[in-house]
C-alpha cells in the first residue's frame, strides 16, 4: 500500500454542526439581552458581579481539573455559563464574596466532584443559588434586591405577599426597565423571551419545558382564585421566565423524553405555585426546579419512548 | 401514473454533498487485468468455489455455488484463467476466500444462456432465475433477493416497493441508474409484482432527485405508484421506507414480509430484469466514487472483484490530503485502512474524504441533551445504550432494546459531545446476543 496512512473509525463518518461548545455559547448569547437590561437598570455593581461570577467559575473549574488530573474543559464554555447564570440569579446588593462562594460551591460540590459536565446531580447555578439563599438570606432576599436610590422598597412578589407599595404594571414588568426589581437577570421578561426565541431558532432547546412550566403556573394561579391580571403578574414576576427558559431546560438535570419533560415541567409549575401561594417565601422557582431535578432520574426510568415496531398487544 | 408524498418520523438532515456526482452519467469502467471475486459478499453462508486453478472461465460462468438456503451464487465477471483461489483482505477487515481470474479481455460469453420473455415467465421461474443469477440486495445489506422473494406460504404481501430513496449523503449510483434506466428498474418491479400476483407496485424516491422521478413519470405506467419522499436520512432504510409508503411498522425483530411488504433496491430491480430477459447474472454494478479526496469523482459501472485501488486510479487517484476511504456512504459505510481490497456486490460507494472532511472532534462527556433520542428513527435512547454499553451492563442494554438498533448513525451524527454512540451500541448488540445465548 502507499505510504499514506488512512484513518479508520466506526461509522458514521459525518457529524452535525452542533457541539457542546456551540450549545453553551448559544445559551450565553441568549442570556445577553437579559444581562444587558440588568446592566442598564442596576449599573456598575451588576457588571462587577457578572464578571466576578464568570471568572470565579472558570478559574475554579480549571483548578479542580488540574488537581484531579482531568482534561481541562473550560473551553466548552459550560463553566462560564454557570458563572453567568448564577450572577444573574443574585440581587444587585449581594456582596461579591457571597457570589464567589456560590460559584465555588456550584463548580466543586455540584459539578466536578460528581464527574464534571454531564454528571452533576442538579443544575449547579441553581443549587448554588439555593445554598446562598439559605445561608445568607439578608444578602439574597428582601432589601438586597433594591438599589439604594430606588423609590420602591420591594420586589413585585414581595409586595403582593407582604403588602406595601403599589404593584408595578404588567407592561413595566414585561419590559423590566423602571421600578421593577429582582435578581439581576430576571427583571425583563421581554429580554428573556427574546433569548428563548433565539434558543428555539438555534434548536438548542425545545419549547416543551418552558411553555409547559409557565402555562402550569398561569393555570394553577388562576385555580387559586387569582384574577387574570394577578395571574399575569405571577407569570412575569420573580425568576419564572429565567428559571423556565434557562434553568429548568438544563440538559443534564431535565428528562430525556417528551412525555417525561411535560410531567417535569408541570411539576415545576405546581411546586412554584404552591410555594408562592402557600409557602413562606415570596419566590419559589429555584426550589421547584431543584426539587424536580431530583425527580428526573425517576421520570427517565419509567417514562420511555415507544420504539419503532413495538409489538402491540 | 400516480404520484404521492410520504415521510417517516424523526431522522436527520445531514449535508448531502451529492453535487460531486449528481449530474454525471454512468461511465463504464474498462474491465481490469485481474479480478479477485470474494466467495462471501452477501448475508449468509459463503459460497463454495466450483472452479479449479488453471481452469478457463467464461463471462458470467458460475464460479461459486450457494452453500445453503441463505447464501448466493457467484459468477465470473470477466473471461479468462483462474489464477488462484486464496484468502484476501476485505473492506471490513476480514479475510475471505477469493477466486482470482486473469482477464483475457475477450468477454467470452457462456453457452446456453436462457432468456425469458418478462410477459410470459412464471413466478416460480422468476425466483429461480434470481437465485441462479446470485442477485443480492445492492443497497448495502446484500441479503439474497431470492430468499426475500420467498417469504413462505403464510405471508400475505400487499406492497412490493422499489427503494430509490438513496438517502446516504454523497451517493448517486441509484440516482443515475433510475435516471438512465427507469424502464429497466420498472421492469424489475413488474417481475417482483408478478411473483406475488400483485397488480400495483410502488417506488420511493427522495424529492432531491426530481429527474429520476420524471423518468418514471415518463414511463406512463399506471400500475406503478411513485412516492416522492421527503429528503431525510434514513429514508432509504427498509423499515422507514415501509413507514413512509405503506404506513405500517415492521414488528420488532421481524422481517418486512411480516408487515406485508417486500422492499427491493433500485439497482437490484434492474439486475432482476437483466437476469430474466438476458440471462445475465450479477457480475457488475454501479458505484459512486466521490468525495473531497478523489481527483475525478465518477459514477462507474464496474466488474465485481475489481480492486478498489484500481477504481480509485481510474478516477484520477487520491488527493494528497486524503484521510479516509469509506466503502459505502458516510453514515453507514466502513472505513478501510488499505484500499487494496476487492469491490463487491454491496459496494455502492467509494467515498474518499480529505483531512478537513474526515475530521471528527474528540468525544467529551454526555451532556444528556437527548438529541440522540429525538432523532433515533427506531425510537431508542442511544444515550442510555451508550452508557450501559460502556459499563458492559448488557442486561440493561437488552432492556433498552439494543438489538432494535439499525446502526443508521443518526445519534452519533447529532451528538454535540461527539460520543461514538454507534460503536458503543455495536458492542452492546454483541453483548446482548451473547447474554441471550447463555440464557438459552
Amino acid at each position: 500500500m502507499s505510504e499514506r496512512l488512512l484513518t479508520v473509525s466506526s461509522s458514521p463518518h459525518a457529524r452535525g454542526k452542533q457541539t457542546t461548545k456551540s450549545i453553551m455559547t448559544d445559551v450565553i448569547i441568549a442570556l445577553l439581552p437579559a444581562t444587558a437590561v440588568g446592566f442598564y437598570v442596576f449599573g456598575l455593581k451588576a457588571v462587577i458581579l457578572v464578571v466576578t461570577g464568570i471568572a470565579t467559575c472558570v478559574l475554579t473549574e480549571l483548578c479542580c481539573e488540574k488537581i484531579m488530573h482531568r482534561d481541562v474543559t473550560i473551553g466548552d464554555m459550560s463553566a462560564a455559563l454557570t458563572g453567568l447564570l448564577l450572577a444573574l440569579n443574585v440581587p444587585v446588593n449581594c456582596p461579591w464574596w457571597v457570589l464567589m462562594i456560590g460559584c465555588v460551591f456550584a463548580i466543586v460540590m455540584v459539578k466536578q466532584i460528581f464527574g464534571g459536565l454531564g454528571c452533576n446531580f442538579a443544575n449547579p447555578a441553581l443549587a448554588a443559588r439555593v445554598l446562598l439563599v439559605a445561608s445568607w438570606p439578608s444578602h439574597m432576599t428582601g432589601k438586597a434586591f433594591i438599589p439604594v436610590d430606588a423609590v420602591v422598597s420591594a420586589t413585585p412578589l414581595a409586595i403582593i405577599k407582604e403588602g406595601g407599595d403599589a404593584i408595578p404594571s404588567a407592561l413595566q414588568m414585561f419590559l423590566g426597565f423602571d421600578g421593577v426589581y429582582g435578581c439581576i437577570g430576571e427583571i425583563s421578561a421581554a429580554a428573556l423571551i427574546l433569548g428563548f426565541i433565539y434558543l428555539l431558532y438555534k434548536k438548542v432547546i425545545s419549547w416543551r419545558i418552558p411553555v409547559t412550566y409557565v402555562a402550569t403556573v398561569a393555570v394553577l394561579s388562576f385555580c387559586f382564585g387569582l384574577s387574570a391580571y394577578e395571574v399575569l403578574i405571577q407569570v412575569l414576576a420573580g425568576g419564572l421566565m429565567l428559571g423556565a427558559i434557562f434553568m429548568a431546560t438544563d440538559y443534564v438535570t431535565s428528562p430525556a423524553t417528551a412525555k417525561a419533560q411535560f410531567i417535569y415541567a408541570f411539576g415545576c409549575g405546581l411546586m412554584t405555585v404552591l410555594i408562592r401561594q402557600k409557602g413562606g417565601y415570596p419566590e419559589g422557582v429555584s426550589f421547584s426546579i431543584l426539587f424536580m431535578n431530583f425527580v428526573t432520574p425517576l421520570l427517565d426510568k419509567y417514562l420511555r419512548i415507544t420504539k419503532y415496531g413495538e409489538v402491540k398487544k | 401514473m400516480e404520484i404521492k408524498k410520504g415521510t417517516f418520523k424523526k431522522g436527520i438532515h445531514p449535508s448531502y454533498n451529492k453535487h460531486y456526482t449528481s449530474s454525471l452519467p454512468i461511465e463504464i469502467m474498462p474491465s481490469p487485468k485481474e479480478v479477485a471475486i470474494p466467495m462471501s459478499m452477501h448475508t449468509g453462508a459463503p459460497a463454495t468455489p466450483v472452479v479449479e486453478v488453471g481452469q478457463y472461465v467464461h463471462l458470467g460462468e458460475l464460479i461459486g455455488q450457494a452453500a445453503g438456503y441463505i447464501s448466493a451464487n457467484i459468477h465470473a465477471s470477466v473471461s479468462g484463467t483462474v489464477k488462484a483461489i486464496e484468502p484476501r483482505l476485505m473492506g471490513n477487515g476480514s479475510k475471505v476466500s477469493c477466486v482470482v481470474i486473469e482477464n483475457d479481455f475477450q468477454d467470452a460469453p457462456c453457452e446456453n444462456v436462457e432468456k425469458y420473455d418478462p410477459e410470459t415467465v412464471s413466478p416460480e421461474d422468476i425466483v429461480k432465475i434470481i437465485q441462479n443469477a446470485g442477485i443480492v440486495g445492492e443497497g448495502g445489506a446484500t441479503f439474497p433477493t431470492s430468499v426475500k422473494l420467498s417469504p413462505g406460504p403464510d405471508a400475505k404481501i400487499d406492497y412490493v416497493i422499489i427503494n430509490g430513496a438513496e438517502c446516504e449523503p454523497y451517493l448517486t449510483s441509484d440516482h443515475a441508474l433510475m435516471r438512465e434506466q427507469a424502464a429497466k428498474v420498472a421492469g424489475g418491479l413488474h417481475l417482483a409484482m408478478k411473483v406475488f400476483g400483485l397488480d400495483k407496485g410502488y417506488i420511493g424516491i427522495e424529492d432531491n432527485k426530481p429527474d429520476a422521478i420524471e423518468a418514471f413519470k415518463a414511463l406512463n405506467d399506471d400500475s406503478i405508484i411513485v412516492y416522492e419522499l421527503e429528503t431525510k436520512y434514513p429514508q432509504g432504510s427498509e423499515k422507514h421506507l415501509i413507514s413512509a409508503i405503506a404506513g405500517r411498522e415492521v414488528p420488532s425483530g421481524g422481517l418486512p414480509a411480516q408487515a406485508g411488504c417486500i422492499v427491493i433496491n433500485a439497482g437490484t430491480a434492474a439486475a432482476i430484469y437483466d437476469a430474466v430477459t438476458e440471462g445475465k447474472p450479477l457480475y457488475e454494478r454501479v458505484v459512486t466514487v466521490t468525495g473531497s479526496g478523489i481527483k475525478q469523482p465518477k459514477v462507474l459501472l464496474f466488474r465485481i472483484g475489481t480492486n478498489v485501488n484500481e477504481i480509485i486510479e481510474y478516477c484520477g487517484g487520491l488527493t494528497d490530503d486524503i484521510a479516509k476511504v469509506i466503502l459505502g456512504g458516510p453514515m453507514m459505510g466502513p472505513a478501510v485502512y488499505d484500499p487494496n481490497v476487492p469491490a463487491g456486490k454491496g459496494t455502492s460507494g467509494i467515498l474518499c474524504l480529505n483531512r478537513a472532511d474526515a475530521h471528527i472532534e474528540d468525544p467529551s462527556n454526555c451532556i444528556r441533551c437527548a438529541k440522540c433520542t429525538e432523532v433515533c428513527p427506531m425510537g431508542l435512547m442511544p444515550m442510555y445504550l451508550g452508557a450501559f454499553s460502556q459499563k458492559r451492563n448488557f442486561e440493561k442494554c437488552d432492556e433498552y432494546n439494543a438489538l432494535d438498533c439499525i446502526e443508521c448513525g443518526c445519534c452519533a451524527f447529532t451528538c454535540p459531545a461527539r460520543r461514538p454512540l454507534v460503536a458503543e451500541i455495536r458492542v452492546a448488540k454483541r453483548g446482548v446476543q451473547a447474554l441471550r445465548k447463555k440464557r438459552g
Side-chain angles (χ1 to χ4, degrees):
Chain A
M1 85 175 272
S2 62
E3 269 67 71
R4 285 179 294 225
L5 280 177
L6 293 176
T7 313
V8 176
S9 65
S10 166
S11 64
H13 307 284
R15 290 292 189 277
K17 291 192 179 68
Q18 258 181 356
T19 61
T20 302
K21 185 181 174 178
S22 81
I23 287 173
M24 297 299 165
T25 311
D26 277 340
V27 180
I28 290 175
I29 292 171
L31 279 166
L32 289 182
T35 312
V37 174
F39 287 174
Y40 174 78
V41 171
F42 295 111
L44 187 64
K45 266 187 173 175
V47 179
I48 292 171
L49 282 175
V50 166
V51 172
T52 309
I54 294 174
T56 312
C57 279
V58 173
L59 278 176
T60 310
E61 177 136 305
L62 180 68
C63 294
C64 274
E65 287 173 337
K66 286 280 180 206
I67 293 168
M68 296 159 110
H69 302 290
R70 286 203 184 126
D71 292 337
V72 173
T73 58
I74 53 171
D76 67 18
M77 306 300 279
S78 67
L81 175 59
T82 300
L84 175 62
L85 261 181
L86 183 54
L88 294 181
N89 266 289
V90 298
V92 66
N93 293 332
C94 171
W96 57 267
W97 55 269
V98 168
L99 175 63
M100 282 178 77
I101 290 172
C103 288
V104 172
F105 175 79
I107 297 294
V108 178
M109 299 305 290
V110 187
K111 188 178 173 188
Q112 287 299 338
I113 279 187
F114 287 88
L117 183 63
C119 303
N120 40 299
F121 66 95
N123 182 334
L126 200 62
R129 178 186 141 81
V130 170
L131 171 89
L132 299 185
V133 172
S135 306
W136 290 278
S138 61
H139 291 310
M140 290 294 290
T141 54
K143 293 284 177 216
F145 288 115
I146 315 300
V148 278
D149 55 350
V151 284
V152 291
S153 60
T155 61
L157 287 179
I159 296 169
I160 294 170
K161 198 126 197 168
E162 316 291 341
D165 302 295
I167 307 166
S169 78
L171 181 68
Q172 277 175 317
M173 297 197 41
F174 181 69
L175 295 174
F177 284 99
D178 58 337
V180 183
Y181 297 114
C183 292
I184 296 170
E186 73 181 29
I187 51 174
S188 171
L192 291 163
I193 289 169
L194 202 63
F196 179 48
I197 292 167
Y198 177 77
L199 290 181
L200 287 182
Y201 169 71
K202 284 284 192 173
K203 296 201 167 85
V204 171
I205 58 171
S206 89
W207 58 271
R208 290 189 285 262
I209 292 174
V211 172
T212 312
Y213 189 172
V214 172
T216 305
V217 169
V219 170
L220 290 182
S221 298
F222 194 72
C223 295
F224 268 90
L226 273 61
S227 70
Y229 190 74
E230 285 167 324
V231 168
L232 191 60
I233 298 293
Q234 286 292 328
V235 165
L236 295 172
L240 181 60
M241 287 290 170
L242 183 61
I245 298 166
F246 292 96
M247 302 288 225
T249 54
D250 171 41
Y251 291 146
V252 184
T253 50
S254 63
T257 64
K259 228 185 305 178
Q261 285 171 356
F262 284 125
I263 293 175
Y264 164 88
F266 173 78
C268 289
L270 177 69
M271 293 291 292
T272 303
V273 174
L274 285 178
I275 292 172
R276 281 184 181 180
Q277 301 304 324
K278 298 285 168 199
Y281 290 92
E283 172 58 284
V285 171
S286 308
F287 294 109
S288 313
I289 300 175
L290 197 61
F291 177 80
M292 290 311 287
N293 280 175
F294 302 141
V295 182
T296 294
L298 276 180
L299 291 175
D300 257 6
K301 189 170 174 187
Y302 292 108
L303 293 171
R304 310 250 184 90
I305 45 178
T306 318
K307 71 175 180 183
Y308 176 102
E310 188 123 29
V311 182
K312 288 164 195 110
K313 280 171 188 160
Chain B
M1 174 172 295
E2 214 176 330
I3 306 274
K4 288 186 176 175
K5 295 203 181 269
T7 190
F8 65 100
K9 283 182 201 150
K10 302 191 172 188
I12 55 169
H13 294 278
S15 304
Y16 283 90
N17 290 314
K18 304 229 186 207
H19 60 272
Y20 287 103
T21 53
S22 57
S23 56
L24 297 180
I26 298 173
E27 187 177 329
I28 298 169
M29 182 181 166
S31 61
K33 253 194 245 153
E34 180 195 291
V35 289
I37 304 173
M39 288 298 109
S40 176
M41 42 184 167
H42 49 258
T43 304
T48 318
V50 291
V51 288
E52 279 162 19
V53 176
Q55 185 182 333
Y56 185 83
V57 291
H58 298 84
L59 174 64
E61 193 174 323
L62 185 74
I63 56 170
Q65 177 80 48
Y69 182 57
I70 302 186
S71 182
N73 285 344
I74 314 273
H75 302 81
S77 57
V78 295
S79 63
T81 316
V82 177
K83 241 172 53 179
I85 300 173
E86 59 186 25
R88 294 237 176 144
L89 184 71
M90 293 292 113
N92 62 9
S94 66
K95 281 201 168 172
V96 167
S97 175
C98 291
V99 173
V100 183
I101 305 170
E102 193 178 332
N103 193 355
D104 67 356
F105 296 99
Q106 299 302 311
D107 279 352
C110 290
E111 287 163 22
N112 313 325
V113 175
E114 283 186 85
K115 296 178 184 179
Y116 290 82
D117 180 349
E119 298 297 322
T120 55
V121 62
S122 75
E124 294 75 29
D125 280 343
I126 295 172
V127 177
K128 218 174 75 201
I129 295 164
I130 291 169
Q131 188 178 11
N132 289 339
I135 295 174
V136 300
E138 289 188 34
T142 61
F143 191 77
T145 305
S146 56
V147 180
K148 204 178 234 185
L149 294 181
S150 316
D154 299 336
K156 193 189 166 295
I157 303 299
D158 312 305
Y159 288 86
V160 174
I161 303 168
I162 298 294
N163 186 351
E166 201 164 50
C167 60
E168 271 274 3
Y170 287 99
L171 304 190
T172 64
S173 309
D174 289 346
H175 181 187
L177 189 82
M178 291 188 292
R179 190 177 53 215
E180 295 179 16
Q181 302 174 17
K184 216 181 236 188
V185 176
L189 172 57
H190 276 287
L191 289 166
M193 283 152 61
K194 199 164 190 180
V195 171
F196 298 104
L198 296 170
D199 51 9
K200 282 248 178 288
Y202 299 80
I203 175 154
I205 305 173
E206 279 189 345
D207 55 14
N208 61 353
K209 295 180 259 297
D211 47 355
I213 295 168
E214 279 308 315
F216 282 99
K217 268 192 209 167
L219 295 179
N220 242 338
D221 183 339
D222 287 333
S223 57
I224 296 179
I225 297 158
V226 175
Y227 268 81
E228 199 178 313
L229 305 167
E230 186 194 354
T231 301
K232 186 164 80 166
Y233 182 85
Q235 182 67 75
S237 143
E238 197 166 58
K239 292 188 166 92
H240 299 95
L241 193 66
I242 289 170
S243 287
I245 292 180
R248 299 180 182 179
E249 286 192 3
V250 180
S252 172
L255 291 167
Q258 284 167 266
C261 297
I262 298 285
V263 178
I264 299 166
N265 167 268
T268 313
I272 291 173
Y273 188 78
D274 281 344
V276 171
T277 58
E278 293 172 34
K280 178 183 160 191
L282 183 58
Y283 62 73
E284 57 185 5
R285 68 155 294 153
V286 180
V287 65
T288 311
V289 191
T290 182
S292 51
I294 190 92
K295 285 188 181 140
Q296 296 158 18
K298 284 181 196 294
V299 182
L300 284 181
L301 182 73
F302 73 96
R303 304 289 176 98
I304 302 292
T306 305
N307 194 293
V308 170
N309 260 338
E310 275 181 71
I311 298 177
I312 288 172
E313 286 314 313
Y314 184 72
C315 296
L318 299 167
T319 57
D320 290 335
D321 57 349
I322 184 73
K324 231 181 210 182
V325 173
I326 298 154
L327 297 187
M331 295 304 292
M332 291 188 73
V336 294
Y337 66 88
D338 184 354
N340 183 20
V341 294
K345 291 178 181 175
T347 309
S348 52
I350 298 173
L351 173 59
C352 312
L353 297 179
N354 67 15
R355 220 167 287 138
D357 282 354
H359 175 74
I360 294 172
E361 298 90 341
D362 286 336
S364 53
N365 282 3
C366 169
I367 53 171
R368 282 182 43 90
C369 65
K371 290 185 191 295
C372 52
T373 304
E374 299 218 337
V375 298
C376 177
M378 293 306 291
L380 308 179
M381 299 176 86
M383 52 197 282
Y384 285 116
L385 285 171
F388 292 136
S389 169
Q390 276 203 324
K391 291 175 188 152
R392 300 293 183 268
N393 186 345
F394 298 127
E395 302 233 344
K396 276 283 178 193
C397 289
D398 200 6
E399 193 190 316
Y400 278 78
N401 306 313
L403 294 186
D404 282 290
C405 172
I406 57 169
E407 301 178 21
C408 65
C410 288
C411 52
F413 175 89
T414 310
C415 180
R418 301 295 185 246
R419 302 222 45 89
L421 291 163
V422 176
E424 288 170 354
I425 295 172
R426 279 200 193 107
V427 172
K429 285 166 96 170
R430 295 264 168 100
V432 170
Q433 274 162 345
L435 195 72
R436 285 193 178 179
K437 212 170 181 181
K438 208 165 81 187
R439 284 209 196 113

